[in-house]
Amino acid sequence: MKKHKQLIQWINIQIKAITPGKNAVKGAALGLLTVTALLWLVYAILDYIKIKDEWVFLFFLVFVPAAILSGFLIRWMLKSLNNIPDFYKLALFIVLPMLIIMSFNWMITAAILILASLGGAAVLVLKKTGFKNLSIAKKGITILGIIIGFGGFIAGGILYTQSGFEVDPIANAALSTASNIQQIKAVSPAEKGPYSVKTLSYGSGKDLHRTEYGPEADIKTDSVNGLAFIDNWDGFGGWWREKYWGFDSRSLPINARVWYPEGEGPFPLALIVHGNHSMQDYSDPGYEYLGELLASRGIILASVDENFMNGSWSDIFGGLKKENDARGWLLLEHLKLWHKWNKTKDNLFYKKIDTANIALIGHSRGGEAVAHAAMFNKLPFYPDDASVKFDYNYNIKSIVAIAPSDGQYEPGGSRTEIEDVDYFVIQGAQDGDVSSFMGSQQYERVKFKDSLYHFKSGLYVYGANHGQFNTSWGNTDAGIMGLLNLKQLISAKDQMKIAEVYISSFLDITLKNKREYLPLFMDARKGKDWLPETIYLNQFEDSNFNPIANFDEDFDLSTTTHHDGIVNTKNLSVWREQEINLKWQKKGSRALFIGWNYDLKNEKKSIESVPDSLIASYSINLSSTAIDSSSVLVFSMAESKESASPKSAGKWAKNKGSKNTSKNNKNEDLDKDKDEKKDAEEDKPEPKKPIDFTIQLSNDSGQTVSFPLSKFSPLQRVIEVMIRKTDFVKDNKQSEKVFQTFFFPAKDFQKINPNFNLSNITDVKFIFDKSESGVVVIDNIGFMKSL
């Protein structure tokens, strides 16, 4: 013990011997200041010589006192932090990481720190000192601390238990012409079919926590080695994962629960796979509602268990990373098993599986994984390691992606591309987990190259969240309890109904060739009797689409995708072609941005008063394009919230005192015109009217046909949501550009103008003559065949 003390004492002496003294510290500071000052002066002079702008040199000079001031400020802050009593400082360091983990929100963390500190200080002061012994000033402070601290927690508790807040109403543009839409004449795809439904489970038989995959599994399966596909199954996180499940990445189980129709078959097969969630809160049972429906309609559905790749509390020490390739590959291993069963005489599913018609359905990360599986299915090797050979080539006809992620795994450092597979993606506007429409990125990367008919479709649903597509997840997206604004949510029952209608009809089309449901994917109003009422935005493209302009070909704004297309414009205030930005990433496609603004607000005039010579338009001139009565003019469009008069401010402003700035424009993100200010004072302000304009086609004979956009539907205004309750404090309205595809059958053109010749169209023109201002984003203008 004595030697131990001597050793510590010797170490302290050595540290003190080499510790810099006051002169050394002062010299180091002066050296740092001197060298930096000289370098700064040289840098300023060289920059001035290079740019030859005296204001640049002035900037460098002014920056010096600003840096000195910030140095003093930072020193004062650090000193103030050091002056905080040690016990309170210790408490801060202990609670901060815990509060951040619990809330993932700095505002909530700061509020709890302040309220808890005030309340705790007041209580202990009253207990130790007594209210009578306090000075008048401290009595007031103590009372204030109790009021703010405890009152704040009571108010916070009430806020926590409330479902959320009402938001400004959004006009449903599609409803204005809904009466003209004919309902599909077919049985609801959400109606139970004629088959009795049976269930079973298959698994390794070794599951430590679920008997359905353990000793009670109806069919025992072999494990597979996923080492090549899974990273970071190691360290403490890997140890705990293996301890909990009883296996590692070298022996992944093939587990699933199955709903199947009772009958001879053969029946199409669909696999559905969940996404990332707490691995101990099992996700695979949450699709029972789909299993019961699809099996009753003659489709086998297997809900694949991949919970062992999901998140865990132990991931704080390192968890699995970019494992979606493993999720996708494992689906193909399940398909391998199903094909084997179909050929095994003593198996329950012998000759009962229609292996020519297979679909993959995925939710969240599973929605990304199904695309990886479809791509892997046609590859000879694993893209990241050619030593891993693939030999699948199953007849995967279609993919359903439910609120998918995108890019969690990137094969070879790029995004997954798939060909000749029908694709459907559904996304909720109120998604609190995958809050951006990531599936629209994969939508852009689905290509059709063979001679068969294919289509891809996207559906954006106002009021739908992430978790209510899975009954096990519910309305607590990303595990955030009490913090989400649930006021905008549709009910779980309605959200599941939407999933039933669309997924069931999609599989009927792609696996059973029941094309009577196809129009539903162009226009949700075709199934209005089957669907809950909310705002739906449909995107659609099929293999018959012939583009005139998709704006991805080059950077010349005067040309189009069509080899001889020439663009002409008049009076546009905005005109550019640009990459489409989502909330989180880029969509992977360019589009046309065009805007107009007649500034009628100040003149108290209507759009009808604007002379024709001032009306804005955008037209594509073609040498000649032949269509027939079975053709349909199509394009996709969304609203942009940017200013419709960008040149009224900044470098284009006529004078600095001009009041006509982009902040005053009604289409800017933060603009508030007089009507909106009046509306804001009311409980339920009137929503903005949807955008409308005229579409005109011309032919080489000089004949024209004109019709309003609203013949199909006016353009839906931007859908803004507040996903968390804290968004109301910050006024954080989230939105992104979500497209609606518009359809105008050629047979209607001749009803408008019987003399209009369809065989030689030379001009497609958008005339902005019905809304006084706006900016729209247009993509994929062209023709397709009628459905």
Side-chain angles (χ1 to χ4, degrees):
M1 188 68 179
K2 187 176 181 181
K3 289 184 178 180
H4 176 69
K5 287 182 177 179
Q6 289 175 342
L7 178 62
I8 292 175
Q9 187 177 12
W10 180 85
I11 292 172
N12 287 333
I13 292 171
Q14 301 309 310
I15 292 173
K16 188 175 182 180
I18 61 173
T19 299
K22 290 183 179 180
N23 290 333
V25 173
K26 187 176 181 180
L30 288 173
L32 184 62
L33 288 169
T34 303
V35 171
T36 303
L38 288 172
L39 290 173
W40 184 258
L41 182 62
V42 172
Y43 186 81
I45 293 170
L46 292 175
D47 218 38
Y48 169 72
I49 293 171
K50 181 180 179 181
I51 299 175
K52 294 182 175 62
D53 185 349
E54 60 274 10
W55 289 100
V56 171
F57 196 71
L58 180 63
F59 164 77
F60 281 101
L61 292 177
V62 171
F63 193 89
V64 173
I68 294 171
L69 183 62
S70 66
F72 277 104
L73 182 62
I74 292 170
R75 188 182 71 169
W76 174 80
M77 291 173 64
L78 292 173
K79 190 176 181 180
S80 298
L81 181 65
N82 194 48
N83 289 335
I84 295 174
D86 288 341
F87 188 67
Y88 186 76
K89 195 187 300 181
L90 176 64
L92 278 177
F93 292 150
I94 292 172
V95 304
L96 271 173
M98 293 189 287
L99 289 174
I100 291 170
I101 288 173
M102 286 189 290
S103 67
F104 292 100
N105 188 292
W106 71 267
M107 290 180 64
I108 295 172
T109 298
I112 293 173
L113 284 175
I114 294 169
L115 296 177
S117 298
L118 288 172
V123 168
L124 199 61
V125 165
L126 290 175
K127 182 178 180 181
K128 295 290 186 181
T129 307
F131 187 74
K132 291 182 179 180
N133 298 326
L134 296 174
S135 66
I136 294 175
K138 287 190 175 182
K139 283 179 180 178
I141 293 172
T142 302
I143 292 171
L144 189 64
I146 291 175
I147 292 172
I148 295 176
F150 287 92
F153 275 117
I154 292 170
I158 294 171
L159 176 62
Y160 184 84
T161 57
Q162 294 297 309
S163 60
F165 303 98
E166 296 287 353
V167 298
D168 293 342
I170 302 173
N172 189 340
L175 291 184
S176 62
T177 53
S179 60
N180 302 327
I181 306 301
Q182 187 175 5
Q183 175 78 19
I184 295 172
K185 295 179 180 178
V187 174
S188 169
E191 185 175 311
K192 291 288 180 68
Y195 293 96
S196 297
V197 177
K198 304 192 77 174
T199 63
L200 60 80
S201 63
Y202 61 87
S204 64
K206 302 174 184 178
D207 196 293
L208 298 179
H209 300 281
R210 289 167 299 171
T211 56
E212 65 267 34
Y213 300 141
E216 295 180 12
D218 297 286
I219 303 176
K220 298 297 191 297
T221 59
D222 295 328
S223 299
V224 293
N225 189 341
L227 183 64
F229 305 94
I230 294 183
D231 300 322
N232 217 36
W233 193 310
D234 51 22
F236 177 80
W239 170 83
W240 170 252
R241 197 176 290 273
E242 183 177 348
K243 179 177 175 59
Y244 183 85
W245 294 110
F247 56 83
D248 61 13
S249 60
R250 293 175 177 81
S251 55
L252 301 179
I254 302 292
N255 299 338
R257 57 188 73 234
V258 183
W259 296 266
Y260 62 99
E262 186 175 16
E264 291 298 318
F267 301 108
L269 170 67
L271 303 184
I272 187 168
V273 63
H274 57 82
N276 192 40
H277 194 65
S278 172
M279 74 176 191
Q280 289 143 300
D281 183 14
Y282 312 127
S283 301
D284 50 297
Y287 307 107
E288 181 179 4
Y289 72 103
L290 287 173
E292 292 285 345
L293 172 66
L294 296 177
S296 75
R297 296 175 65 88
I299 296 175
I300 300 169
L301 182 72
S303 182
V304 172
D305 163 39
E306 294 186 354
N307 289 282
F308 44 84
M309 286 189 279
N310 278 357
S312 166
W313 63 270
S314 62
D315 290 348
I316 193 172
F317 302 105
L320 304 186
K321 294 181 179 178
K322 298 184 178 181
E323 79 298 331
N324 258 10
D325 50 339
R327 293 177 189 263
W329 163 78
L330 202 61
L331 292 175
L332 296 176
E333 290 297 308
H334 277 260
L335 289 181
K336 180 187 289 186
L337 199 61
W338 280 94
H339 280 72
K340 178 182 177 182
W341 291 343
N342 200 46
K343 296 177 181 178
T344 305
K345 288 186 177 180
D346 59 349
N347 191 279
L348 172 66
F349 294 106
Y350 176 60
K351 290 187 176 182
K352 287 195 174 184
I353 306 160
D354 181 2
T355 55
N357 288 292
I358 296 172
L360 301 179
I361 308 169
H363 186 183
S364 195
R365 287 194 191 181
E368 178 186 331
V370 291
H372 300 322
M375 187 182 76
F376 289 171
N377 181 57
K378 295 183 178 181
L379 295 178
F381 303 103
Y382 175 43
D384 293 342
D385 184 356
S387 67
V388 180
K389 294 182 179 181
F390 288 159
D391 186 22
Y392 297 112
N393 294 306
Y394 302 126
N395 292 309
I396 300 174
K397 292 288 187 66
S398 54
I399 292 174
V400 175
I402 305 170
S405 57
D406 188 61
Q408 196 264 357
Y409 160 71
E410 295 182 322
S414 301
R415 296 292 174 92
T416 291
E417 296 182 0
I418 50 180
E419 295 179 4
D420 302 324
V421 176
D422 295 335
Y423 184 79
F424 172 62
V425 58
I426 181 171
Q427 176 75 30
Q430 273 65 36
D431 195 313
D433 191 337
V434 183
S435 299
S436 186
F437 195 178
M438 306 295 284
S440 65
Q441 296 175 299
Q442 182 63 70
Y443 177 94
E444 293 290 339
R445 303 194 303 273
V446 176
K447 306 298 180 185
F448 305 133
K449 296 183 178 180
D450 65 16
S451 59
L452 301 176
Y453 179 81
H454 299 286
F455 76 99
K456 57 183 178 179
S457 177
L459 180 69
Y460 193 77
V461 184
Y462 179 64
N465 76 340
H466 193 78
Q468 289 183 161
F469 291 114
N470 181 308
T471 57
S472 298
W473 293 2
N475 60 14
T476 55
D477 287 358
I480 303 172
M481 295 182 290
L483 303 181
L484 295 170
N485 177 40
L486 306 181
K487 278 286 188 180
Q488 285 180 281
L489 286 191
I490 58 177
S491 69
K493 180 180 178 182
D494 282 348
Q495 189 163 329
M496 287 188 288
K497 176 63 70 176
I498 295 168
E500 287 176 332
V501 168
Y502 267 94
I503 293 174
S504 175
S505 58
F506 182 75
L507 297 185
D508 271 0
I509 296 165
T510 58
L511 303 184
K512 300 181 183 179
N513 201 32
K514 291 187 175 182
R515 293 183 62 179
E516 61 266 30
Y517 292 122
L518 198 52
L520 181 67
F521 294 85
M522 298 170 61
D523 187 352
R525 295 172 298 179
K526 297 280 188 180
K528 61 182 181 295
D529 293 344
W530 308 330
L531 294 165
E533 185 174 317
T534 187
I535 299 174
Y536 300 92
L537 295 176
N538 294 93
Q539 299 97 56
F540 183 91
E541 183 180 316
D542 68 9
S543 50
N544 290 326
F545 176 62
N546 182 22
I548 294 174
N550 61 21
F551 310 102
D552 292 320
E553 72 281 349
D554 57 37
F555 294 94
D556 186 349
L557 271 66
S558 66
T559 61
T560 68
T561 310
H562 195 281
H563 64 90
D564 63 353
I566 300 296
V567 173
N568 288 308
T569 69
K570 288 183 180 180
N571 304 318
L572 293 175
S573 58
V574 175
W575 176 25
R576 70 182 185 277
E577 295 174 10
Q578 179 182 306
E579 174 73 37
I580 303 163
N581 291 315
L582 302 175
K583 288 181 193 174
W584 291 354
Q585 299 175 6
K586 295 181 177 180
K587 191 168 185 277
S589 175
R590 288 161 54 84
L592 170 68
F593 288 68
I594 46 178
W596 67 99
N597 183 18
Y598 303 125
D599 198 20
L600 302 176
K601 183 171 48 183
N602 297 329
E603 299 176 17
K604 296 181 180 180
K605 294 181 180 179
S606 65
I607 185 71
E608 289 79 11
S609 66
V610 179
D612 290 345
S613 60
L614 298 181
I615 291 293
S617 66
Y618 178 94
S619 64
I620 299 174
N621 305 118
L622 308 164
S623 58
S624 181
T625 296
I627 63 173
D628 57 34
S629 59
S630 67
S631 298
V632 180
L633 170 68
V634 296
F635 55 86
S636 294
M637 186 164 55
E639 183 193 11
S640 177
K641 292 197 300 179
E642 67 191 83
S643 171
S645 184
K647 295 186 179 181
S648 61
K651 64 182 180 180
W652 293 282
K654 291 182 179 180
N655 59 72
K656 293 182 180 179
S658 174
K659 293 182 180 180
N660 185 23
T661 66
S662 60
K663 289 184 180 179
N664 292 326
N665 188 278
K666 74 184 223 178
N667 287 306
E668 182 119 13
D669 291 353
L670 299 176
D671 61 351
K672 299 286 182 181
D673 63 20
K674 293 179 181 178
D675 292 335
E676 289 176 318
K677 287 180 181 178
K678 291 179 181 178
D679 289 340
E681 297 172 0
E682 302 174 3
D683 292 333
K684 292 185 178 180
E686 287 294 323
K688 289 181 178 180
K689 291 182 179 179
I691 291 174
D692 198 5
F693 56 81
T694 295
I695 301 163
Q696 184 181 85
L697 276 68
S698 305
N699 60 25
D700 61 2
S701 302
Q703 298 169 329
T704 63
V705 59
S706 300
F707 47 89
L709 179 75
S710 54
K711 182 175 176 61
F712 177 85
S713 169
L715 177 62
Q716 178 64 50
R717 289 284 187 171
V718 169
I719 294 176
E720 294 182 325
V721 298
M722 290 189 172
I723 293 175
R724 297 194 183 197
K725 293 173 183 176
T726 52
D727 290 339
F728 289 87
V729 179
K730 298 182 288 184
D731 194 27
N732 181 27
K733 295 179 180 178
Q734 301 179 44
S735 66
E736 61 187 347
K737 295 173 182 66
V738 180
F739 287 78
Q740 167 67 50
T741 305
F742 290 79
F743 302 85
F744 301 95
K747 63 182 181 181
D748 291 344
F749 301 164
Q750 292 179 317
K751 293 179 182 178
I752 298 169
N753 182 357
N755 297 320
F756 188 76
N757 189 346
L758 299 172
S759 63
N760 52 5
I761 292 175
T762 58
D763 189 86
V764 177
K765 190 174 186 178
F766 302 119
I767 306 169
F768 302 102
D769 57 352
K770 296 185 180 298
S771 297
E772 66 182 56
S773 66
V775 180
V776 297
V777 189
I778 304 178
D779 201 7
N780 293 324
I781 305 170
F783 291 95
M784 59 173 278
K785 291 294 182 183
S786 171
L787 301 183

